Amino acid sequence: MSDAYVFEMKDITKAFGRNVVLDGVSISIKPGEVRALMGENGAGKSTLMKILGGIINADSGTIFMNGEEASIKHVEDARAFGVSFIHQEITNIPEMTIAENIFLGREPKNHLKMVDYRRMKKEAQKALDALGLKLDSGMLIRGLSVAQQQMIEIARAVSEGAKILILDEPTASLSKSETDNLFSQIARLKKAGVAMIYISHRMEETFKVCDSVTVLRDGKFIGTRQTSETTENELISMMVGREFNNMYGNERVIGGDVILEVKHLTTDKVTDISFTLKKGEILGFSGLVGAGRTELALAIFGIDSIQSGEVWLEGKQLTIKKPKDAISAGIALVPEERKEQGLFLGHSIATNLTFQVLSEYIQRLQVDKKKEKRIVDEFKQKLSIKMASTEQTAGELSGGNQQKIVISKWLAAKPKVLILDEPTRGIDVGAKAEIYKLMHTLAQEGVSIIMISSELPEIINNSSRIAVMREGCLAGIIDQTVTESSQEMIMSYAVGGEHTTC
């Protein structure tokens, strides 16, 4: 064991029952190094980091801290060694101040053994100032943005003297400017010698902020690469266990005649939106967080009320006042928040997948189990859904397989227009590639797709045309069959550049 490493985990093994989730995994990191930890869902990334953070215990293996063998059985043990875990789900308490959240469970005391609020506020302010955060430590957490709350958690880690920071999908809910600010903080902490583990499915981020990448697959260590000496395709090949040449697969589908036309649509969140969608086309919708992309989709699907404007499908004007109207017309929506809005997590895969076509196999309150099974088997095979059985609950599946269930639910209803809102958020690269392949296959079969995404490479490589939203209006449409787009071009529209129409 070299004392050049801030920590080393050697031959870590962990099983839950008969399911071996970590099989002799080893990883070591130096001070000031930012290491990406990558792998498909279920590869063992979170389990390995939970062991380092003292949240769960390994069955076997050894952890070294600064060259010395360490016993980490509890979260308090990990904190004593300077390990801090920034979870994907924010854990701040809204009704407490920033200072109270930063020092929760370790409040400074005065000579009377009472909480020293003045000192606590002062020390918390130092932690905020160290990160360049222009916030008053006496403010309540309630009302702060997700990005600000995330920075509070990082400030807590700084105040604890963190030497190892674990960041789990830190940009999942952040805008581009908020993400850039986070990257600035990571660079600041790196210069201060803090080692960081960066868990993310976003390749672009990995190459931008990480020095190196460790890949796990099926609970096994596959390899570590310097980001400067590897490629996206090599890392994906390591993750999926086969040669991988193209993340996005097929060429763009151009589309045929216009199938959907939106004319001057206005709601309380979007204004005067007009666009067309061709049969068999993938039309991408881009824009900054809060630009109105999701709100436009909700209006077309009948969740948000349309104040004025028209929606035409196959040459006929639709009256959409509720989702049932849109579904009857042949419009489907795969929502951004699949767990909250797209799935019944406690119910079976079969129930979730066939929910939109219940009438096809229920007659006189009797369920035609054979027909239900045929539907489930069809989409299990078509979308390569990994499941133990059709009676397994949706909540037990990985993020990628959950997304496939939501998509299958709507495909079973044979939609003419499929709206996909952030279709690959929070899923691994292997599942992403499968979703992209599915989208292109559906488009070739004549399904028209509206894809809303915050990932610019995803938008550029999958869409024939790109509609860019800005502050509730349509800033412009880039036709990639005429002009090849770029991230800079899309961002110019999104922020109100010279070609923006609103």
Side-chain angles (χ1 to χ4, degrees):
M1 165 68 194
S2 169
D3 58 8
Y5 296 119
V6 66
F7 81 86
E8 183 175 12
M9 304 177 78
K10 296 189 69 174
D11 302 319
I12 302 297
T13 299
K14 180 65 181 178
F16 295 104
R18 295 182 178 179
N19 183 26
V20 178
V21 293
L22 290 172
D23 186 4
V25 174
S26 298
I27 182 174
S28 54
I29 297 178
K30 297 176 181 178
E33 180 180 1
V34 183
R35 172 74 58 83
L37 186 59
M38 303 193 76
E40 296 188 273
N41 287 334
K45 307 182 299 293
S46 294
T47 301
L48 184 66
M49 289 301 98
K50 286 178 180 178
I51 290 171
L52 179 62
I55 298 170
I56 59 176
N57 295 327
D59 295 333
S60 62
T62 310
I63 299 175
F64 295 89
M65 290 289 180
N66 297 311
E68 300 292 333
E69 186 173 339
S71 175
I72 298 180
K73 300 297 182 184
H74 306 284
V75 173
E76 291 75 15
D77 299 332
R79 284 179 178 166
F81 285 109
V83 180
S84 188
F85 206 136
I86 310 299
H87 296 274
Q88 186 175 351
E89 302 296 330
I90 301 298
T91 59
N92 293 316
I93 300 175
E95 301 306 320
M96 286 186 172
T97 66
I98 292 174
E100 289 170 331
N101 273 276
I102 287 177
F103 282 94
L104 187 64
R106 55 188 188 91
E107 296 83 356
K109 304 293 177 64
N110 58 24
H111 66 283
L112 297 175
K113 305 299 182 182
M114 303 289 287
V115 175
D116 189 336
Y117 286 100
R118 180 177 295 181
R119 178 183 162 198
M120 182 167 67
K121 184 178 178 181
K122 182 178 179 181
E123 292 299 318
Q125 194 64 52
K126 284 183 181 179
L128 296 175
D129 294 343
L131 292 173
L133 302 177
K134 296 179 180 179
L135 295 171
D136 186 331
S137 64
M139 295 171 59
L140 290 177
I141 289 288
R142 185 185 68 246
L144 296 183
S145 69
V146 172
Q148 288 173 321
Q149 291 196 49
Q150 190 175 67
M151 290 303 172
I152 299 306
E153 295 207 8
I154 293 176
R156 179 190 299 135
V158 170
S159 73
E160 291 175 345
K163 299 175 183 176
I164 303 161
L165 196 60
I166 304 168
L167 298 158
D168 188 3
E169 295 286 355
T171 65
S173 300
L174 304 188
S175 67
K176 184 180 184 303
S177 61
E178 291 168 337
T179 298
D180 289 342
N181 183 43
L182 173 65
F183 291 168
S184 296
Q185 303 303 341
I186 289 174
R188 190 190 301 248
L189 292 168
K190 175 181 168 68
K191 286 181 180 178
V194 177
M196 284 166 274
I197 308 291
Y198 193 93
I199 303 174
S200 177
H201 294 306
R202 296 180 176 180
M203 281 285 183
E204 186 178 20
E205 294 180 2
T206 296
F207 283 93
K208 189 170 185 176
V209 301
C210 299
D211 303 302
S212 52
V213 185
T214 291
V215 175
L216 303 183
R217 185 175 73 241
D218 297 330
K220 295 182 174 63
F221 172 82
I222 302 302
T224 295
R225 301 284 187 274
Q226 296 298 307
T227 51
S228 60
E229 299 173 358
T230 188
T231 65
E232 181 176 312
N233 285 339
E234 182 187 16
L235 293 177
I236 295 173
S237 296
M238 292 169 70
M239 281 185 261
V240 301
R242 61 183 184 276
E243 187 174 349
F244 200 96
N245 297 316
N246 191 345
M247 179 76 166
Y248 301 99
N250 303 328
E251 294 181 0
R252 300 188 191 103
V253 182
I254 305 303
D257 296 334
V258 171
I259 185 173
L260 177 75
E261 187 170 8
V262 174
K263 302 179 181 180
H264 307 293
L265 188 146
T266 296
T267 72
D268 61 348
K269 298 185 180 73
V270 298
T271 304
D272 195 28
I273 306 293
S274 297
F275 69 91
T276 59
L277 174 68
K278 299 175 183 178
K279 184 176 177 63
E281 177 187 26
I282 300 176
L283 173 63
F285 267 81
S286 188
L288 303 177
V289 173
R293 299 165 302 167
T294 294
E295 290 75 11
L296 175 61
L298 295 178
I300 295 171
F301 193 63
I303 294 175
D304 284 0
S305 298
I306 297 174
Q307 295 176 351
S308 63
E310 301 171 356
V311 178
W312 291 69
L313 185 66
E314 296 182 319
K316 296 180 181 179
Q317 185 175 352
L318 304 180
T319 300
I320 301 177
K321 294 186 177 180
K322 52 185 180 295
K324 184 178 179 180
D325 300 329
I327 295 168
S328 298
I331 300 174
L333 170 65
V334 175
E336 179 180 7
E337 300 294 339
R338 59 177 172 267
K339 290 185 177 181
E340 291 78 12
Q341 302 168 354
L343 293 167
F344 301 111
L345 293 175
H347 290 267
S348 70
I349 292 168
T351 297
N352 276 277
L353 197 151
T354 60
F355 181 74
Q356 291 299 329
V357 290
L358 283 173
S359 60
E360 292 187 18
Y361 65 91
I362 292 184
Q363 294 181 348
R364 298 179 182 178
L365 301 180
Q366 294 295 314
V367 176
D368 186 339
K369 284 291 185 181
K370 288 184 178 180
K371 189 160 189 176
E372 179 189 55
K373 185 177 185 301
R374 280 199 301 271
I375 295 170
V376 175
D377 287 346
E378 175 188 349
F379 288 100
K380 176 185 176 181
Q381 181 176 0
K382 188 172 183 177
L383 276 74
S384 302
I385 303 171
K386 297 177 183 177
M387 60 179 83
S389 76
T390 59
E391 295 307 310
Q392 185 180 7
T393 64
E396 296 177 284
L397 298 177
S398 68
N401 284 302
Q402 286 181 351
Q403 187 72 322
K404 290 178 185 179
I405 294 295
V406 181
I407 293 173
S408 297
K409 175 181 71 174
W410 288 111
L411 292 182
K414 298 179 174 60
K416 299 170 184 175
V417 175
L418 179 62
I419 304 173
L420 301 169
D421 194 355
E422 300 289 0
T424 66
R425 173 170 289 175
I427 65 177
D428 60 64
V429 290
K432 278 188 177 184
E434 290 178 341
I435 296 293
Y436 298 151
K437 182 180 178 181
L438 173 65
M439 287 167 53
H440 285 271
T441 299
L442 291 171
Q444 290 169 345
E445 293 173 353
V447 178
S448 302
I449 296 174
I450 293 174
M451 178 184 64
I452 300 167
S453 177
S454 299
E455 295 193 34
L456 293 181
E458 181 170 271
I459 283 283
I460 292 169
N461 287 284
N462 287 300
S463 310
S464 59
R465 293 184 298 146
I466 302 169
V468 186
M469 298 281 290
R470 176 178 179 269
E471 296 180 354
C473 76
L474 186 58
I477 296 179
I478 304 168
D479 189 341
Q480 295 206 103
T481 65
V482 178
T483 303
E484 192 72 21
S485 67
S486 65
Q487 295 194 28
E488 291 75 18
M489 183 186 297
I490 294 172
M491 288 307 299
S492 176
Y493 279 97
V495 300
E498 59 178 318
H499 301 296
T500 303
T501 57
C502 68

